[in-house]
Every structure is written in C-alpha cells, then in structure tokens.
Amino acid sequence: ATLSAITSCKKNDIGGKAEIHAKILHGTTPIAASTLYVKFDATAQPTNPTTDYDLKVEGEMDDNHVHIEELRQGEYFLYVEGFDSLAMQKVHGGMATSIKWGERKKTKEVEIQTTN
C-alpha cells in the first residue's frame, strides 16, 4: 500500500519565501535599531503587543529598516518600539499588513509610522 502525502496550506507562519521590509519612521525621521514584534493571523494590535507576539526581530544600529524573512501568505500585525535620537524620545507604533498568494515569494515594502 502506498501512502499519499497530504499537504495543507500553512498560513501566517515562518518557513515561506516572502519577506517584509519595514521602514520605521517618526514623522520624517528614520528610526534605527528598533524592535519589531510580529503577531501572526492578526489584523489588529494585540492588547499587549510586546508580550503577545509570535516573532521578535531586532533592527540594526545602522539601518532604519527591519527585515522579517521566511514569511508565508497571511495576515500579520507589526508593532515597533524604538528611539528617536533627534527628538530624544521613545517611539512606538503599529500596522496590519498581509501577504497575498501572489506575494508569497516577494519582498513587501511597508512604512510604520511611530508616535511618542
């Protein structure tokens, strides 16, 4: 007897080929070295986005972008915390985004605006 493989569509997860390239801004000021929290299968901000997340990504000191790699098709909520070195204040913000089937092997550019 042969067993046939059953495949299912895994959404909102890592292990895919999509990437989100998130630019972090406070007004027009780029925010480097921010921390990005990703909630899978979410279109709204969790009550506690820094504790209720599925993936945490640290931005680089010399880069105002955060790269979230190996994503699959689905809905994601992105929440960021950082520090505006010009205004000398902590900033945070969030946004929902989705990766559609046609984007499953591409890089998606998003901008996350922050407030203090």
Side-chain angles (χ1 to χ4, degrees), residues 17-20 71 99 102-108:
K17 293 185 174 9
E19 179 178 333
I20 293 176
L71 295 176
I99 296 173
E103 298 172 320
R104 71 190 184 282
K105 295 182 181 176
K106 297 180 179 171
T107 298
K108 181 169 189 152

Side-chain angles (χ1 to χ4, degrees), residues 29-99:
T29 304
I31 305 299
S34 50
T35 302
L36 185 67
Y37 302 89
V38 183
K39 183 69 178 169
F40 298 163
D41 197 23
T43 56
Q45 181 174 308
T47 305
N48 295 307
T50 59
T51 57
D52 182 14
Y53 62 87
D54 297 304
L55 181 64
K56 180 179 176 182
V57 183
E58 299 286 340
E60 301 291 326
M61 280 303 294
D62 59 349
D63 195 355
N64 66 337
H65 292 77
V66 179
H67 301 265
I68 312 150
E69 300 174 336
E70 299 183 7
L71 295 176
R72 297 178 183 272
Q73 167 195 5
E75 303 285 334
Y76 298 91
F77 191 88
L78 312 176
Y79 180 81
V80 66
E81 288 186 331
F83 187 77
D84 184 334
S85 58
L86 293 177
M88 297 304 289
Q89 61 191 7
K90 290 182 181 181
V91 294
H92 62 92
M95 67 173 288
T97 191
S98 63
I99 296 173

